[in-house]
Amino acid sequence: LRHLIKGVYPASPSSWLFVAIGILATMYMQSDPSMGLITKIQQHLPLHMSLSAQGQTMVSALVFSTLLWLSLILALRFCLKLLLSYHQWMFEKHGRMSNTTKVWVPLVRLLSSRKPLLYSYQSSLPHLPVPAIQDTVSRYLESVRPLLTDPEFKRMSDLANEFESNLGNRLQRYLKLKALWATNYVSDWWEEYVYLRSRGPIMVNSNYYGMDFLYVTPTSVQAARAGNTITALLLYRRKVNREELKPSRVPGTVIPLCAAQCERMFNTTRTPGVETDVLQHWLDSEFVAVYHRGRYFRLWVYRAGRLLSPREIEDQIQRILDDASPPLPGEEKLGALTAGDRIPWAQMRKQYFSSGVNKRSLDIIERAAFFVTLDDEEQGMRGDDPEGNLDRYAKSLLHGKCYDRWFDKSFSVVIYKNGKSGLNAEHSWADAPTVAHLWEYTLATDAFQLGYTEDGHCKGDVEPSLPQPQRLVWNIPAEVQAQVSSSLAVAQALADDVDCHVFPFREFGKGRIKKCRVSPDAFIQISLQLAYYRDRGGFCLTYEASMTRLFREGRTETVRSCSNESCAFITALESGETEEECRRLFQLASERHQNLYRMAMTGAGIDRHLFCLYVVSKYLGVESPFLKEVLSEPWRLSTSQTPVQQMNLFDLKNHPDFISLGGGFGPVADDGYGVSYIIVGEDMVNFHVSSKYSCSQTDSHRFGVQISKAMQDIMALLSADPKTSLSSKGTGQPQSKKLQ
Ligand SMILES: *[C@@H]1O[C@H](CO)[C@@H](O)[C@H](O)[C@H]1NC(C)=O
Ligand SMILES: *[C@@H]1O[C@H](CO)[C@@H](O)[C@H](O)[C@H]1NC(C)=O
Ligand SMILES: *[C@@H]1O[C@H](CO)[C@@H](O)[C@H](O)[C@H]1NC(C)=O
């Protein structure tokens, strides 16, 4: 039935009845609505023997109605797709809508508002277009202009023009050909070349983390927190499987976003290969894999088709915590294989894990719904050094002890001894907004829906005869143990080098930024530029992740948020220009940033196109000095906003302390910063900064101080503007608030 409902969207199955009744009614009135088609159908139907003439007409009319109905659906879908291909609305300011947009809005509403299932819109989403090569090249040159000296820029322009007029056209033809048959001309290559073929460790380099609430821990009982968290995750899985989850939309609009990334959220692992890893997904998986003090367990979460109650899962987890048996030889640090280089892991897996007990046990981990670590440490903002502990908490989620999470699983949940939680997610199957959606739901369901008893235990009935969680059995030979040690050494070196700094910025938040009539994201991005300029004395190529999920199977696009205009503003501010001039330049910079963001979202970015041209050039075996140079430029500042998507699940009025800390990722360049931020409520922004200790020029704490100062300096500048009185309510909001 679900397939039927989804298959006929935007119509409903019952609309068939209307069409059929309509047709029959007109026939009853002695007119033929089909202009002879019904008679034709009647002649071709193999029914002559068994039915009366009237019966035959009836059946033919029904066949005709069905065909008519199906073509109406296809036509509706086609219309919706056409409507969704229109993106100009995003570039228009509120109150200054074009006539096209004014007509377009109600039409989209009409066609897309019927209650959809998770995947209902998929076939109506437009395909990501391939931009013209001239456009991409000129956008590229514009983006690097402020970063290059005149002679460097001249050289780059020559390279680019040479590329555009020769090789580029040839590569573009192949790419256009691919775009004709592929659902998305970027995503399969992106998944393969950026993620799966990468041979270095995925821990720190690719996996990212999500954190618990900042101020509160709903229970301090470890097993209970695990019970509710696992239950909430499984409830989410059920919603995904039944497609009951509402499809995500561009915030504040009815425009649907692609939901394809939900498909491989659960029952999924990345398995290592010598040349490339692959993502494996299973259609059934009724258990989770649990790690505790060096031992692995299988925990069945269903009993005769019934999902265990939170209390039952808590009890089962408690049994694992109470189990005092020691790890088997080689078992404790086995997970390090997933944290080190991929090739040795692939070789070990093939040689020692493809038969016998080792295969059976590894299968259980890989086929589990997801992975759970019961960590024996305490984490969170606590103790005598709450700030330092937040940093340690981030590091713990990013890499832990390098062997106590299973980095290959689509995600691993971590439950700490003091009840704090968090997760570590593998990156190839989806991007952060999809995982953040899952995690928001989990936190809210855990704290507000499932809840705890007064003494901090889970609720629900318990069936006394549940089987014990199953200890996994291993037979780990010395060769594997040796490899585990060397993988661990590689991973440990990587982990020890990560300098994480997490801090809530509490001076102001999106409320005050919006009163200055500035998009919060643009404000923060320009602040980051200013912070970087002060920290390093210059500008750098900056990566901001945006999404292309307006298109089918879209993933991300880069916003190059260091722009000519942001540099002009910062130079002016730092050289003591008048406030008024600085404000004018800031406005230009912020408008420019929003424009870049919208272009990236609507398929007019720079980087994915160039990346795909590069892949084509590799397939054809031709060298392009231009592409080679572009693709090897380091992103010294890599940034990402974690969007809050389900504010309705949280009630910040009555529970103001239940504020999410968001998540973060490891440093992208050896001598750069990774910055992730989440805009929570009206008055707070949480930052996650990462860099490498081995680089003498970076320091995450120092950069954190610069970020806070930059935010406050820019706010002071804007607040001093006599033209925008802060006490009056901001009207004329830029449209881009919808994107936040
Ligand atoms: C939009 O429609 C209004 C009223 O129908 C008309 O006056 C105006 O000229 C139109 N604007 C454009 C740009 O076509
Ligand atoms: C994962 O496994 C569960 C439990 O067997 C199953 O119901 C579900 O369909 C699977 N999920 C997906 C997305 O395949
Ligand atoms: C970038 O800024 C420089 C100097 O401020 C200016 O000369 C140049 O025209 C600008 N380029 C673009 C594309 O705006």
Side-chain angles (χ1 to χ4, degrees), residues 434-475:
T434 304
V435 175
H437 193 275
L438 163 76
W439 192 237
E440 274 172 11
Y441 174 91
T442 305
L443 288 180
T445 306
D446 163 23
F448 305 125
Q449 306 299 318
L450 302 172
Y452 295 91
T453 62
E454 257 164 43
D455 50 356
H457 289 282
C458 294
K459 299 176 182 169
D461 299 327
V462 178
E463 190 187 307
S465 64
L466 289 177
Q468 284 276 350
Q470 175 195 353
R471 208 31 229 282
L472 302 194
V473 188
W474 305 93
N475 177 12

Side-chain angles (χ1 to χ4, degrees), residues 632-650:
S632 59
E633 283 161 357
W635 302 96
R636 295 219 168 76
L637 188 53
S638 189
T639 70
S640 166
Q641 187 199 146
T642 313
V644 176
Q645 299 162 82
Q646 303 159 93
M647 215 46 226
N648 55 320
L649 296 183
F650 298 87

Side-chain angles (χ1 to χ4, degrees), residues 2 119 234 237-238 240-242 262-268 281-287 301-302 367-369:
R2 209 166 57 223
Y119 301 122
L234 292 169
R237 181 174 79 166
R238 187 155 77 189
V240 171
N241 290 337
R242 295 183 179 167
C262 290
E263 287 166 14
R264 295 177 298 179
M265 188 175 269
F266 297 96
N267 323 352
T268 300
H281 175 80
W282 285 272
L283 291 178
D284 77 300
S285 166
E286 304 206 322
F287 52 86
V301 288
Y302 287 88
R367 290 166 186 246

Side-chain angles (χ1 to χ4, degrees), residues 417-565:
K417 204 171 165 186
N418 56 337
K420 213 80 200 145
S421 70
L423 98 172
N424 179 293
E426 201 278 316
H427 209 325
S428 61
W429 62 274
D431 300 305
T434 304
V435 175
H437 193 275
L438 163 76
W439 192 237
E440 274 172 11
Y441 174 91
T442 305
L443 288 180
T445 306
D446 163 23
F448 305 125
Q449 306 299 318
L450 302 172
Y452 295 91
T453 62
E454 257 164 43
D455 50 356
H457 289 282
C458 294
K459 299 176 182 169
D461 299 327
V462 178
E463 190 187 307
S465 64
L466 289 177
Q468 284 276 350
Q470 175 195 353
R471 208 31 229 282
L472 302 194
V473 188
W474 305 93
N475 177 12
I476 308 291
E479 292 85 344
V480 177
Q481 298 197 29
Q483 182 55 51
V484 166
S485 302
S486 34
S487 288
L488 183 56
V490 169
Q492 194 70 54
L494 191 59
D496 288 345
D497 199 17
V498 179
D499 176 7
C500 273
H501 180 40
V502 179
F503 64 97
F505 176 83
R506 300 188 183 91
E507 308 301 320
F508 56 85
K510 97 171 169 242
R512 263 191 67 197
I513 299 176
K514 281 187 168 177
K515 281 190 181 159
C516 302
R517 302 184 185 185
V518 176
S519 129
D521 192 60
F523 185 96
I524 296 172
Q525 284 292 327
I526 297 171
S527 302
L528 291 175
Q529 288 294 314
L530 177 58
Y532 187 89
Y533 182 83
R534 287 170 172 174
D535 189 76
R536 300 288 293 275
F539 299 108
C540 73
L541 195 58
T542 305
Y543 185 115
E544 181 189 9
S546 77
M547 63 181 166
T548 49
R549 280 163 63 205
L550 289 171
F551 302 97
R552 188 149 184 205
E553 288 181 18
R555 290 199 63 162
T556 56
E557 173 62 279
T558 309
V559 182
R560 293 177 163 234
S561 51
C562 173
S563 65
N564 216 3
E565 288 77 1

Side-chain angles (χ1 to χ4, degrees), residues 98-256:
S98 67
N99 287 353
T100 321
T101 306
K102 277 184 197 152
V103 177
W104 173 81
V105 169
L107 281 178
V108 177
R109 284 242 160 84
L110 190 72
L111 279 186
S112 67
S113 53
R114 212 180 61 75
K115 207 170 154 259
L117 295 175
L118 179 57
Y119 301 122
S120 287
Y121 292 121
Q122 291 302 96
S123 57
S124 307
L125 292 175
H127 287 229
L128 182 67
V130 184
I133 204 146
Q134 301 87 305
D135 293 348
T136 300
V137 166
S138 72
R139 282 179 205 132
Y140 169 78
L141 287 175
E142 209 174 309
S143 78
V144 292
R145 181 67 199 94
L147 303 170
L148 301 178
T149 62
D150 288 346
E152 282 169 349
F153 184 68
K154 171 86 176 50
R155 197 184 129 266
M156 204 64 213
S157 305
D158 292 345
L159 269 183
N161 292 333
E162 156 72 19
F163 171 75
E164 186 191 319
S165 49
N166 292 313
L167 183 58
N169 282 318
R170 183 163 156 229
L171 303 180
Q172 177 82 349
R173 274 201 301 278
Y174 280 96
L175 197 54
K176 289 228 152 150
L177 212 61
K178 177 185 177 186
L180 282 183
W181 56 262
T183 326
N184 186 302
Y185 83 93
V186 183
S187 291
D188 54 341
W189 284 350
W190 188 251
E191 179 178 309
E192 179 171 353
Y193 293 101
V194 170
Y195 296 115
L196 296 177
R197 276 186 186 267
S198 148
R199 304 289 71 204
I202 56 175
M203 182 198 79
V204 173
N205 292 329
S206 171
N207 286 29
Y208 52 96
Y209 64 87
M211 282 184 164
D212 198 0
F213 297 114
L214 172 58
Y215 301 113
V216 287
T217 313
T219 176
S220 57
V221 181
Q222 184 177 19
R225 192 73 200 279
N228 269 9
T229 304
I230 293 172
T231 306
L233 288 164
L234 292 169
L235 290 176
Y236 190 92
R237 181 174 79 166
R238 187 155 77 189
K239 276 176 172 266
V240 171
N241 290 337
R242 295 183 179 167
E243 297 186 35
E244 287 166 358
L245 214 59
K246 291 201 194 84
S248 296
R249 297 171 191 267
V250 176
T253 72
V254 289
I255 313 302

